[in-house]
Amino acid sequence: MAYADYSYYVESYKGNAIPESDFDRLAERASDYIDSITRGQAAGAAGKNAELVKKAACGVAEAWQTNEQGGDVTSQSVGSWSRSYSKTAKNDDVRLWEAAYLYLAATGYMRTVRWAK
């Protein structure tokens, strides 16, 4: 079960990167990832921690989308539209981990940093 729904993503998290048609799929993957890195502790979150878990799910969903698109955008053009992505800045694992860590570090669910920047 996803920790956040599209309504939360748009209204509370103020997200706009993920279209509604993709959100459920990405939120499920993000929630599974959070369960994995927190060893299931996020599932029992209450109060402020529950809010942080929802935000983490949104952040990880956006990071997952970036990974699926091929990495970070490095350049864009408008005339004869083009877009370039790069995976050199962060690899997929680091991008997901950092998105989760931003919100979950204060909860104590993530005890160590797995990758250096």
Side-chain angles (χ1 to χ4, degrees), residues 5-23 26 58-59 61-63 65-66 69 83:
D5 60 18
Y6 192 72
S7 175
Y8 179 87
Y9 173 69
V10 172
E11 295 170 15
S12 297
Y13 185 76
K14 307 297 185 202
N16 63 6
I18 303 173
E20 187 172 6
S21 60
D22 292 335
F23 187 80
L26 293 168
C58 293
E62 288 183 345
Q65 179 185 46
T66 299
Q69 292 173 339
R83 180 182 282 172

Side-chain angles (χ1 to χ4, degrees), residues 30-91:
S31 298
D32 290 344
Y33 178 79
I34 290 168
D35 285 342
S36 174
I37 64 173
T38 65
R39 295 181 183 101
Q41 291 178 313
K48 183 177 179 181
N49 283 354
E51 187 70 16
L52 292 171
V53 168
K54 286 181 182 182
K55 288 180 180 181
C58 293
V60 171
E62 288 183 345
W64 202 290
Q65 179 185 46
T66 299
N67 289 349
E68 286 183 351
Q69 292 173 339
D72 296 317
V73 175
T74 58
S75 67
Q76 295 188 67
S77 300
V78 175
S80 298
W81 176 252
S82 70
R83 180 182 282 172
S84 300
Y85 295 91
S86 171
K87 287 202 179 226
T88 56
K90 295 181 185 177
N91 69 36

